[in-house]
Amino acid sequence: MGVSYFLYLSCLGLAITAQDQDCSRPVGGPNTVLTDNRETYPTGTTVTFECETGYITAGGNPRITCTDGTWSPLSLKCERRNCGSAGEVENGQVDYPEGTEFGDKLVVHCNTGFALVGRQEIICGSQGWMDRLPVCEEVDCLDPRIPNSEFVQGSRPPHGYKATVTFECKPGYTMEGSDTLTCQINSQWSPGLPKCSK
């Protein structure tokens, strides 16, 4: 009985050690995300990783396999998405002070005499630049209308940046304010429009 009991225990031990071990939840590499949310995985299970938002695959295999409680190595490499150049803005410059990768932003500056229409700063997102480039429009001040006055000299419409116009009041009227106006970068006259009062 002792020999057969010993053989029985030996076989039982072999059966226990031959039993497969589960794997715990695997840990990925930098900027990777597991696509499966289980806590344990039976041997033979294959899981897949993907790159985090804002990152793209730069080579390697996204899959690993559980074998007797151990995961095969993950070779997936992820790098920040590069949005590249957003293009050019006529009558302005596009600057990339931080770079052109995910999370970076570009800044647009208009040349002197041109005003920005649109967003000045645009962020590089997971699908590319997150907005259209703005445009730089030439500054244009509306022709000033000053009741009871007469145009004396200066620019004619359109009135661009730094254009000047001079007015005088009609006979019998006195000017309150400056008789000469200058078109500013915000398309407003400076100083404010004068008045011609009796």
Side-chain angles (χ1 to χ4, degrees):
M1 167 141 180
V3 173
S4 59
Y5 183 69
F6 175 75
L7 287 173
Y8 171 75
L9 286 178
S10 297
C11 290
L12 184 62
L14 287 173
I16 291 172
T17 55
Q19 187 178 26
D20 296 333
Q21 291 184 345
D22 290 347
C23 288
S24 59
R25 185 175 174 81
V27 177
N31 309 307
T32 61
V33 178
L34 181 64
T35 60
D36 190 308
N37 284 328
R38 290 177 281 174
E39 290 301 317
T40 60
Y41 303 81
T43 193
T45 302
T46 297
V47 296
T48 304
F49 283 84
E50 62 186 15
C51 295
E52 289 180 339
T53 300
Y55 290 79
I56 59 172
T57 302
N61 188 340
R63 293 177 188 78
I64 58 174
T65 302
C66 172
T67 306
D68 294 329
T70 304
W71 289 104
S72 58
L74 177 66
S75 62
L76 175 66
K77 302 283 185 250
C78 297
E79 63 183 24
R80 273 171 77 191
R81 176 186 176 84
N82 193 322
C83 289
S85 171
E88 295 183 4
V89 173
E90 190 175 355
N91 302 308
Q93 299 85 230
V94 181
D95 297 322
Y96 303 93
E98 302 170 346
T100 59
E101 294 183 326
F102 177 72
D104 294 340
K105 67 182 175 188
L106 64 78
V107 182
V108 178
H109 300 282
C110 292
N111 297 340
T112 303
F114 293 83
L116 187 80
V117 178
R119 296 184 59 167
Q120 184 178 27
E121 296 181 351
I122 301 173
I123 295 174
C124 173
S126 60
Q127 301 299 315
W129 293 108
M130 296 178 68
D131 209 339
R132 282 194 236 171
L133 285 174
V135 295
C136 292
E137 291 185 351
E138 190 170 5
V139 171
D140 182 15
C141 290
L142 295 175
D143 207 23
R145 302 278 184 228
I146 303 167
N148 304 309
S149 71
E150 295 175 344
F151 175 80
V152 176
Q153 66 180 10
S155 74
R156 295 288 183 179
H159 303 286
Y161 177 59
K162 291 196 174 179
T164 60
V165 290
T166 302
F167 290 85
E168 65 181 13
C169 292
K170 292 180 178 177
Y173 291 86
T174 304
M175 185 166 287
E176 297 174 20
S178 174
D179 63 346
T180 301
L181 306 173
T182 303
C183 180
Q184 301 298 312
I185 196 71
N186 62 357
S187 297
Q188 300 296 316
W189 292 103
S190 178
L193 299 183
K195 290 181 181 178
C196 288
S197 305
K198 277 204 177 230

